[in-house]
Amino acid sequence: MITRNFILNYKQVYFNLKNMAEISYVVVFPTIFSKNKIPQLITNIKKILKIKNQQFKSVKRDDNIILVDANDPVFASSAINLLFGIEKIAIARQIKNDFQGIVSEITDVGGNLLLKGEKFLVKVEGTSKGFLTKDVEIAATSNIIERKQNLGAHPGTDENHDKILYSYLTKNNAYICIFSDKGNNGIPYDVESQKTICAIYDELSAVSCFETIKQGNDVRIIICYRQKSELQNLAKIINQILPRLAQDNVELEFFELKIKPTGIKNYLIYVNSILEIMLQYSYNRISLALSPLVFSSDFIDNSLKSVFEKKKIPIIPLSGVDVNLFDDAKEIGLERNLKKLENIVTITSNEVPDFAKKEMEFAIRTKKKISVKVGPNNVHDILDSFEENH
């Protein structure tokens, strides 16, 4: 899956790569929370590259960054950027950490990347040897202005620039970035040793599952629905989440709850009934798709009480998420579903209804297991598995 920025810049990046003689690497910048978890992030990178059929020669560490020698840096970058624990990802040239060499390389890269009249910003970070990174920025900026006068490119500011020419220095090497993209932040998947169960049944619960994974939890996903017409939408949502797990095959379990799909009270009954299904599992950690910005404190307290009574541990990944919830929704491809999400988060009810016991017991009898091989046909594979029963 290629991110929006990669789609917009793919042709330009590919052209620049083809016209640069040096080998270009994928450089992964871990988040500050992942710097003590780099071995797990390296493991996840290798897994996602294999799942996405991206060939690579090596994945290794250089100080606090990860260097990937991939056959196709553009598509490898796109695959890696599905993972959590990444602040930024770049395609870059590697040279020695030497002042003159760095300035020269930034000048060359800038000449290839800048378009006529663009405002550019040279940014250098990392470990300098016998010089200041600011000196590199000033020298490279002057060189680009002098040598590329025909472009009419001129320096911008941190707040106002068209293109950033970013470089990062490690103890021995310098990485001159050709292209960079923001990561998903969080921490690497499967850092936590215990498995967490989470349910996906609508847009809010999908974002909650996304956040659960983002916080390093190894998840077991169940899917709940009230009518067959919901399955297609849920399958599309799941399709956006599965690649984040860095697994070849994922086992999903589906439950049908015959609860009316309209009305706030019915929705709250639905949520409570799904919680009861999750509590039937032996897993010790339960992810609750609840937010104090959406649900009443009484409703949340009741859910927590139910979990504690079963001697399990509740996780509320949305507790610190506000408007970022909509950013997460866009990240997992829910742009067209934002109105539905808005309707869910504007719930106004202080009711704490019981779960629907009969409907929950019926749902457990409808349980359907599906093993999904993560790939481009996930949606069809899920929907086809339901058609096989008819």
Side-chain angles (χ1 to χ4, degrees), residues 144-155:
I144 292 172
I145 295 171
E146 180 182 347
R147 299 184 190 180
K148 304 296 178 180
Q149 291 181 2
N150 61 314
L151 283 177
H154 50 283

Side-chain angles (χ1 to χ4, degrees), residues 114 117-123 134 137 141-142 144-145 152-165:
L114 291 175
E118 281 191 320
K119 291 191 290 288
F120 67 93
L121 177 67
V122 177
K123 190 76 173 176
K134 190 68 177 177
E137 293 173 355
T141 299
S142 299
I144 292 172
I145 295 171
H154 50 283
T157 64
D158 287 334
E159 298 77 21
N160 184 19
H161 61 269
D162 300 308
K163 193 160 290 175
I164 187 167
L165 304 177

Side-chain angles (χ1 to χ4, degrees), residues 244-274:
R244 320 282 176 170
L245 304 182
Q247 296 177 11
D248 287 311
N249 291 279
V250 179
E251 188 175 83
L252 303 172
E253 292 185 342
F254 289 76
F255 297 88
E256 181 180 4
L257 281 129
K258 291 191 175 298
I259 296 173
K260 289 182 180 180
T262 56
I264 292 176
K265 183 176 181 179
N266 285 330
Y267 179 74
L268 297 177
I269 293 171
Y270 185 46
V271 173
N272 270 340
S273 301
I274 291 169

Side-chain angles (χ1 to χ4, degrees), residues 207-253:
V207 175
S208 178
C209 184
F210 180 84
E211 283 289 336
T212 304
I213 299 166
K214 190 175 185 177
Q215 293 170 20
N217 295 287
D218 178 13
V219 299
R220 174 63 181 269
I221 299 174
I222 68 170
I223 298 93
C224 299
Y225 62 98
R226 289 163 292 190
Q227 46 195 10
K228 291 288 178 67
S229 59
E230 296 176 355
L231 279 173
Q232 184 170 359
N233 182 51
L234 289 171
K236 289 179 180 178
I237 290 173
I238 296 161
N239 185 48
Q240 301 296 329
I241 291 176
L242 291 183
R244 320 282 176 170
L245 304 182
Q247 296 177 11
D248 287 311
N249 291 279
V250 179
E251 188 175 83
L252 303 172
E253 292 185 342

Side-chain angles (χ1 to χ4, degrees), residues 179-190:
F179 178 70
S180 65
D181 197 16
K182 290 181 179 180
N184 287 308
N185 293 308
I187 59 177
Y189 177 69
D190 202 14

Side-chain angles (χ1 to χ4, degrees), residues 246-310:
Q247 296 177 11
D248 287 311
N249 291 279
V250 179
E251 188 175 83
L252 303 172
E253 292 185 342
F254 289 76
F255 297 88
E256 181 180 4
L257 281 129
K258 291 191 175 298
I259 296 173
K260 289 182 180 180
T262 56
I264 292 176
K265 183 176 181 179
N266 285 330
Y267 179 74
L268 297 177
I269 293 171
Y270 185 46
V271 173
N272 270 340
S273 301
I274 291 169
L275 172 57
E276 286 299 318
I277 292 174
M278 290 196 288
L279 290 173
Q280 305 303 308
Y281 284 81
S282 61
Y283 304 120
N284 205 34
R285 295 156 65 89
I286 310 291
S287 180
L288 304 175
L290 304 175
S291 167
L293 301 177
V294 179
F295 296 89
S296 70
S297 58
D298 287 343
F299 187 86
I300 293 176
D301 289 346
N302 183 69
S303 298
L304 293 173
K305 181 182 176 183
S306 298
V307 176
F308 285 127
E309 284 177 348
K310 293 287 187 177

